[in-house]
């Protein structure tokens, strides 16, 4: 069916209106049927789709394969017709899959077996160019005339993106995911406006005067950059919130701060809310759009939502809280904190609301950045830590009485965070949890006999939970699972019971007879589980005399009590240190595996504890005796100017005392992995100095990455053109560059001696050179001039073919990892890891080193 609105039938005012205001257009389908109307339409129907089965291998892999994506990367225009073979090279094969036409249901929803991981195509023939809001429900991603946009894979209804439809034929290619699609094209509310969906809003808590943070999406439905905008809370005397430059056809989340309302401003009705009017203003202060938000008003002891500004990207995030019962805590008896991680698709508010109020315990539920988010890995893991820090400070909880639990995906998060951060929790309690993506979730394994495969295997170590299994011994563990679990097999829990039974001194295990995956709130608020964890307390550092700690990435987790691993000898392999302290003899005896740098923090050890029966302190002043891997060090003087003893290996592998060691490239507080570039208030800078195709790719890829992170991570990644970037305006922020050394004008401003130099037609890696227009690269390097450890990420290639090969890579899928640098050809879309020509990890100085492999 075709909906036609001839331009001659349009109201005169619309004939010359800008694209964002043009509402009439023509939708053309090959059936040739036409329906004419002289009224502007509010929605463009999509009554049919062409669908094709999946044509490659996806899942949690750094290089998924797809024959159609390879064709697109090589520059082919994808515009199938019903009955065409999905693979044109099989045109003579009667058994070859073909594009099949399907019809929408009554509600505009498409259901088909091919929509489970397959592709869907629509062709729209538009008479008048216009901007429409695409609701991509059910799609992983969408290409509109080859420009990529994030989808709404989980049909959350939180994403509407402005897309320009040109006069003439428009191609929409959907990457489907879960068996159904419900795409809609809607009229934009205005050219630039405050979106009414997907807001991040706090509750107003009676009696709490702390400021409130609101996260508001702002849509730019025009083809021009929008700058100088601000958001004001009308009726309040407080600074306006600056809106970052808005790229064309984009949605950007903006943080808005407002003061808590005075008591007299709040309604007496406990069920009533507090309404704010927000105005989007132009550079002259003139309102261009207004909207209202209604905040819930709750009592101090009621279930509540709190918000904060994330250090990852400057976005506003929230968490839910079930407060401790009033009167059960105070300054002399600070409350404990139970951090509870939700399962896939569960809202943090529902998670916290599943718990009854407890005596002296706050239940805090972070979001994982979204209900599906990042499986409590990557940015989901960071969200849990940010929430823990904010809630601990806000509610004054006792750090020694902090516990971790979670259900389903949150049970996996419990195993993950408990393994990485034994220093943070007194006990952990996974419920219906799974251990590793390779057991549950389809993560790729790698051929470790292949040198490049071995590098990717090491890069994946943060997701390999059980490489950190000895860290569990530091804390109590309660394992809960239903023996009829239809979602996460009970074998996951039984395997952990067998593992813990071999070494763990303090764990409990319970299988609920007859219980499935969800058996009510008791899956979370199970009394024996609650009693177990809340009876445990983290020992004070000064009372600990034995530490056994393992890390796979000191930038991610580096310490337990007073022991810190600063650097591994070989990144990605477990680095372990086991230390004993004899206070009376002032002797540390330490055994290590794969450790290059070690620290001993003497701060707490020098102070006496409150318990007279505890271990004696280690008085300051006198030298220390240290035996490290059987090597007796000369007497180590008590440190001056700090309380940390820094130890490192010399060129021969022997241990030496180090004075104020330089911060290693990949060490505590300084991450080095490629995905870590998308942290630290990262700024995405796209190149404009290449060919028209290269420049278009760079802009679309940067906007796509920001769009995907907004959807998957409730995020706010800012975008700038290289010509608008000034390093001095963005100090110590991470930067991601799109393009190569000559197409991106910001290159020299942030990179002094990059390990790789991609340029037109070749990539130089030290004294090696790879040539061809189809090469692509991903890498990270230290940011020039940043003493704070900021980093630069590069997404680029030697030409538009190589650049396009990076577009569909799953940067924001949890459990997927890359080494510090990777060079590959466009053929990865056919050959997977076989298309990688070189990869490696940087040395401690952030430079190209020997830890690499080449084909």
């Amino acid at each position: 069916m075709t909906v036609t609105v001839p331009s001659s039938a349009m109201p005169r005012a619309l004939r010359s209106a800008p694209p964002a205001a043009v509402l009439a257009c023509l939708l053309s389908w090959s059936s040739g049927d036409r329906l004419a109307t002289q009224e502007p339409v509010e929605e463009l129907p999509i009554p049919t789709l062409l669908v094709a089965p999946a044509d490659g291998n996806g899942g949690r892999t750094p290089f998924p394969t797809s024959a159609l994506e390879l064709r697109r990367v090589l520059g082919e225009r994808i515009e199938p017709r019903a009955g065409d073979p999905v693979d044109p090279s099989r045109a003579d094969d009667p058994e070859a899959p073909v594009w099949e036409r399907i019809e929408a249901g009554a509600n505009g929803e498409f259901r088909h077996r091919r929509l489970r991981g397959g592709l869907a195509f629509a062709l729209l023939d538009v008479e008048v160019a216009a901007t429409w809001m695409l609701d991509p429900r059910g799609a992983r991603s969408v290409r509109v005339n080859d420009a990529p946009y994030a989808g709404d894979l989980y049909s959350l209804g939180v994403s509407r993106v402005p897309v320009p439809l040109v006069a003439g034929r428009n191609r929409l290619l959907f990457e489907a995911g879960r068996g159904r699609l419900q795409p809609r094209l809607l009229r934009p509310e205005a050219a630039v406006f405050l979106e009414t969906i997907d807001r991040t809003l706090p509750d107003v808590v009676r009696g709490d005067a702390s400021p409130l943070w609101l996260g508001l999406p702002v849509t730019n439905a025009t083809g021009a950059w929008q700058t100088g905008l601000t958001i004001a809370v009308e009726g309040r005397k407080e600074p306006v919130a600056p809106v970052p430059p808005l790229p064309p056809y984009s949605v950007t989340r903006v943080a808005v701060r407002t003061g808590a309302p005075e008591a007299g401003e709040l309604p007496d009705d406990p069920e009533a809310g507090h309404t704010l009017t927000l105005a989007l203003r132009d550079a002259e202060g003139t309102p261009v759009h207004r909207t209202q938000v209604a905040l819930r008003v709750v009592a101090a002891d009621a279930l509540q939502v709190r918000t904060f500004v994330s250090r990852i990207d400057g976005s506003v995030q929230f968490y839910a809280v079930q407060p401790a019962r009033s009167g059960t805590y105070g300054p002399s008896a600070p409350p404990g904190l139970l951090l509870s991680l939700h399962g896939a698709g569960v809202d943090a508010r529902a998670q916290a609301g599943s718990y009854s109020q407890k005596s002296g315990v706050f239940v805090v539920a972070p979001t994982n950045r979204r209900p599906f988010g990042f499986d409590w890995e990557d940015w989901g893991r960071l969200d849990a830590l940010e929430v823990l820090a904010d809630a601990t400070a806000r509610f004054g909880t006792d750090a020694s009485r902090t516990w971790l639990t979670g259900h389903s995906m949150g049970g996996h998060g419990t195993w993950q965070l408990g393994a990485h951060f034994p220093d943070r929790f007194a006990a952990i309690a996974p419920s219906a949890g799974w251990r590793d993506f390779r057991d549950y979730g389809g993560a790729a394994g790698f051929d470790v006999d292949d040198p490049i495969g071995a590098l990717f295997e090491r890069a994946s170590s943060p997701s390999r939970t059980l490489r950190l299994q000895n860290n569990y011994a530091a804390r109590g563990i309660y394992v809960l699972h239903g023996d009829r679990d239809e979602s996460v097999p009970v074998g996951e829990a039984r395997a952990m019971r067998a593992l813990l039974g071999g070494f763990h001194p303090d764990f409990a295990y319970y299988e609920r007879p007859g219980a499935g995956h969800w058996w009510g709130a008791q899956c979370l608020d199970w009394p024996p589980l609650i009693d177990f964890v809340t009876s445990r307390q983290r020992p004070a550092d000064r009372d600990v005399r034995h530490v056994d700690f393992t890390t796979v990435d000191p930038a991610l987790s580096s310490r337990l009590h007073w022991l810190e691993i600063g650097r591994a000898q070989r990144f990605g392999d477990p680095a372990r240190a086991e230390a004993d302290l004899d206070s009376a003899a002032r002797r540390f005896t330490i055994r290590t595996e794969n450790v290059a740098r070690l620290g001993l923090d003497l701060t707490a050890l020098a102070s006496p504890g409150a318990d007279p029966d505890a271990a004696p302190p280690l008085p300051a002043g006198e030298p220390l005796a240290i035996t490290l891997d059987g090597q007796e060090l000369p007497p180590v003087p008590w440190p001056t100017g700090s309380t940390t003893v820094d130890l490192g290996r010399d060129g021969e592998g022997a241990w030496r005392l180090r004075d104020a060691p330089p911060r290693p490239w990949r060490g505590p507080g300084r991450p080095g992995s490629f995905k870590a570039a998308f942290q630290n208030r990262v700024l995405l800078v796209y190149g404009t100095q290449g060919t028209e195709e290269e420049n278009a790719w760079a802009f679309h890829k940067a906007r796509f990455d920001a769009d995907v992170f907004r959807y998957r991570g409730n995020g706010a990644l800012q975008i700038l053109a290289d010509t608008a970037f000034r390093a001095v305006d963005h100090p110590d922020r991470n930067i991601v560059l799109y393009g190569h050394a000559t197409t991106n004008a910001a290159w020299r401003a942030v990179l002094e001696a990059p390990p790789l130099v991609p340029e037109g037609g070749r990539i130089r890696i030290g004294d090696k050179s790879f040539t061809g227009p189809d090469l692509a690269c991903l890498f990270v390097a230290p940011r020039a001039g940043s003493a704070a450890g900021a980093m630069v990420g590069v997404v680029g290639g030697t030409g538009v073919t190589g650049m396009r090969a990076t577009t569909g890579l799953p940067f924001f899928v949890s459990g997927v990892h890359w080494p510090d640098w990777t060079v590959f050809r466009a053929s990865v879309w056919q050959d997977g890891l076989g298309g990688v020509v070189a990869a490696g990890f940087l040395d401690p100085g952030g430079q190209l080193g020997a830890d690499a492999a080449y084909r």
Side-chain angles (χ1 to χ4, degrees):
M1 182 185 73
T2 299
V3 177
T4 305
V5 183
S7 60
S8 60
M10 294 170 59
R12 184 176 300 276
L14 285 179
R15 295 182 199 175
S16 59
V22 177
L23 305 179
C25 67
L26 170 66
L27 179 63
S28 178
W29 295 90
S30 58
S31 64
D33 297 333
R34 290 181 179 271
L35 173 66
T37 175
Q38 295 192 12
E39 295 298 323
V41 294
E42 299 292 314
E43 178 174 354
L44 290 180
I46 302 180
T48 66
L49 291 173
L50 301 181
V51 294
D55 67 341
N57 296 314
R60 298 182 192 275
T61 175
F63 294 107
T65 59
S66 166
L68 187 140
E69 180 66 8
L70 179 58
R71 289 162 56 198
R72 191 202 63 78
V73 166
L74 295 176
E76 182 179 338
R77 181 186 178 97
I78 307 299
E79 191 174 325
R81 295 174 299 179
D84 283 353
V86 177
D87 181 355
S89 68
R90 298 180 63 188
D92 297 330
D93 181 356
E95 302 298 322
V98 298
W99 290 90
E100 177 183 344
R101 185 184 304 279
I102 62 173
E103 306 288 333
N107 61 351
E109 183 180 67
F110 298 88
R111 290 176 178 264
H112 195 276
R113 66 186 183 282
R114 289 184 167 188
L115 295 178
R116 188 166 293 278
L119 300 164
F121 178 80
L123 184 65
L124 285 69
D125 193 355
V126 175
E127 187 173 272
V128 180
T131 300
W132 292 85
M133 300 299 294
L134 173 62
D135 182 341
R137 217 163 292 200
R140 258 181 221 283
S141 66
V142 189
R143 303 291 177 93
V144 179
N145 297 326
D146 294 323
Y149 296 86
D152 180 2
L153 173 62
Y154 302 109
S155 298
L156 300 176
V158 299
S159 185
R160 290 194 294 239
V161 294
V163 297
L165 300 185
V166 301
R169 296 161 78 87
N170 293 268
R171 293 164 293 117
L172 277 67
L173 182 64
F174 299 88
E175 182 188 7
R178 297 162 69 89
R180 58 185 185 177
L181 283 175
Q182 193 177 14
R184 300 178 69 192
L185 286 164
L186 308 167
R187 177 175 66 88
E189 185 173 341
V192 184
F193 60 95
L194 294 162
E195 181 59 271
T196 57
I197 62 171
D198 200 27
R199 295 163 166 174
T200 302
L201 303 176
D203 289 340
V204 176
V205 180
R206 293 183 185 273
D208 190 337
S210 56
L212 306 173
W213 284 100
L214 290 67
L216 304 175
V218 182
T219 295
N220 177 11
T222 78
W225 280 85
Q226 301 294 324
T227 60
L229 300 174
T230 58
I231 298 174
V233 182
E234 295 194 330
R236 304 192 72 89
K237 298 178 181 179
E238 52 196 19
V240 296
V243 176
L246 303 179
Y249 307 116
S250 67
V251 181
T252 302
R253 302 187 64 82
V254 179
V256 177
R257 183 183 186 273
T258 185
E262 301 290 339
E265 298 179 73
L266 297 178
D268 294 330
D269 182 355
E271 300 298 319
H274 178 66
T275 300
L276 299 175
T277 299
L278 300 161
L280 180 65
R281 298 176 177 175
D282 63 17
E284 286 71 44
T286 303
V288 297
H289 189 258
R290 284 187 172 90
T291 190
Q292 290 188 326
V293 297
L295 306 182
R296 286 198 328 152
V297 179
V298 301
D301 62 350
L303 183 71
Q304 57 196 248
V305 170
R306 299 288 189 157
T307 55
F308 66 98
V309 176
S310 170
R311 296 186 301 275
I312 296 170
D313 57 352
S315 65
V316 174
Q317 302 297 322
F318 81 91
Y319 58 95
V321 183
Q322 182 67 279
R325 283 200 299 268
S326 297
T328 63
Y329 61 94
S332 61
L337 188 155
L338 179 63
L339 193 70
S340 181
L341 312 182
H342 64 71
V346 177
D347 185 87
R349 286 162 283 221
Q351 183 80 1
S354 295
Y355 291 87
S356 62
Q357 282 195 306
K358 311 213 173 292
S359 176
V361 176
F362 279 75
V363 178
V364 174
T367 67
N368 185 37
R369 285 289 187 117
R370 287 288 193 191
F372 290 89
F374 303 104
D375 298 275
W376 301 107
E377 297 196 20
D378 297 326
W379 299 272
R381 183 194 296 125
L382 295 175
D383 177 69
L385 296 180
E386 286 194 318
V387 167
L388 178 59
D390 189 89
T392 298
R394 188 186 298 269
F395 301 115
T397 58
D398 182 353
S400 72
R401 298 179 59 244
T402 299
W403 313 282
L404 176 65
T405 188
H407 177 261
S408 189
M409 180 180 75
H412 167 68
T414 301
W415 287 125
Q416 263 276 311
L417 270 75
H420 281 292
F421 308 109
D423 210 42
R424 307 293 182 98
F425 307 105
I428 67 172
S431 172
W434 41 276
R435 299 161 291 171
D436 191 299
F437 285 120
R438 291 183 181 170
D439 304 312
Y440 181 90
F446 301 99
D447 178 5
V448 296
D449 292 328
D450 169 25
I452 285 179
L455 290 167
F456 276 82
E457 180 65 25
R458 286 161 54 198
S460 77
S461 283
S463 292
R464 307 285 77 80
T465 310
L466 297 188
R467 292 180 187 175
L468 302 168
Q469 66 186 47
N470 66 287
N471 289 347
Y472 291 136
R475 303 292 174 255
I477 299 178
Y478 190 104
V479 182
L480 178 64
H481 216 112
D483 70 355
R484 300 291 179 88
D485 193 320
E486 71 284 2
S487 180
V488 179
V490 69
E492 290 289 313
R494 291 172 181 172
M496 290 305 294
R497 176 181 61 184
L499 176 71
L500 297 173
F503 71 93
H504 203 287
D506 182 25
F507 84 96
Y509 181 91
Y510 179 66
E511 275 184 28
R512 179 74 168 173
H517 189 61
W518 176 256
W519 35 284
Q522 284 192 321
C523 286
L524 299 167
D525 200 10
W526 179 241
L529 180 155
I530 300 298
D531 290 344
F532 179 94
V533 296
T534 57
S535 66
R536 268 64 179 174
Q537 185 165 353
R538 178 188 178 278
D541 290 349
R542 63 174 174 262
D543 296 330
V544 173
R545 293 297 179 267
H546 175 79
V547 178
D548 185 357
F549 175 66
T550 299
T551 181
V552 292
D553 184 354
L556 175 61
S557 63
S558 62
R559 68 180 295 153
L560 177 59
H561 296 299
W562 36 260
L563 177 71
E564 180 174 80
I565 296 176
R567 183 164 59 88
Q569 292 176 292
R570 179 179 159 94
F571 174 77
D573 289 339
R576 181 177 183 179
E578 189 173 3
D580 292 287
L581 168 61
D582 182 338
S583 300
R586 303 181 64 81
R587 172 174 291 280
F588 290 90
T589 304
I590 308 171
R591 298 158 296 283
T592 73
E593 300 171 16
N594 191 38
V595 175
R597 192 173 292 278
L598 195 68
L600 302 173
D601 185 353
L602 308 179
T603 307
L605 293 172
S607 59
D611 183 359
D613 297 325
L618 187 67
E622 297 298 318
L624 303 170
I626 298 179
T627 302
L628 237 173
D629 294 330
Q631 175 189 341
E632 185 72 23
L633 273 63
V636 176
W638 190 270
T640 58
S642 75
T643 55
T644 300
V645 174
D646 292 301
L647 303 161
R649 294 183 186 272
D650 62 19
E652 304 299 321
W655 286 99
R656 297 286 184 265
L657 181 66
R658 301 291 192 188
D659 293 326
R663 295 177 70 191
W665 158 245
R666 188 192 297 272
R670 187 164 183 168
S673 67
F674 172 73
K675 291 175 79 170
F678 295 92
Q679 298 177 23
N680 188 31
R681 295 185 179 243
V682 61
L683 179 65
L684 312 185
V685 180
Y686 67 91
T688 65
Q689 307 302 300
T691 67
E692 183 178 351
E693 283 187 311
E694 289 171 338
N695 295 344
W697 166 82
F699 170 73
H700 287 140
K701 173 58 173 165
R703 187 183 61 185
F704 178 59
D705 284 349
D707 202 25
V708 172
F709 195 69
R710 176 184 57 82
Y711 176 72
R712 283 192 169 268
N714 193 28
L717 302 187
Q718 185 182 349
I719 305 172
L720 274 184
D722 54 359
T723 52
F725 173 75
R726 295 175 68 243
V728 69
D729 294 336
H730 308 282
D732 293 322
R733 291 176 68 175
N734 285 3
I735 306 295
V736 174
L737 302 177
Y738 294 84
H740 62 59
T742 55
T743 65
N744 195 306
W747 185 279
R748 294 182 183 276
V750 294
L751 287 170
E752 283 183 351
L756 280 68
V757 181
E759 49 199 3
R762 70 169 181 170
I763 294 179
R764 289 183 284 119
I765 312 172
D767 59 357
K768 295 179 173 61
S769 183
F770 293 85
T771 60
D774 63 334
L775 285 164
C777 64
L778 309 174
F779 71 86
V780 287
R783 177 175 172 179
S786 176
M791 62 196 297
V792 177
V794 173
V795 180
T798 55
V800 71
T801 299
M803 293 172 180
R804 286 175 182 152
T806 69
T807 300
L809 297 182
F811 293 171
F812 304 110
V813 173
S814 51
V816 178
H817 304 270
W818 291 265
D820 293 354
W821 62 270
T822 306
V823 177
F824 53 96
R825 294 196 181 274
S827 62
V828 291
W829 287 100
Q830 173 180 288
D831 302 328
L833 206 65
V836 175
V837 299
F841 295 103
L842 302 181
D843 68 16
Q847 300 299 309
L848 193 68
D851 195 0
Y854 302 85
R855 286 196 175 108

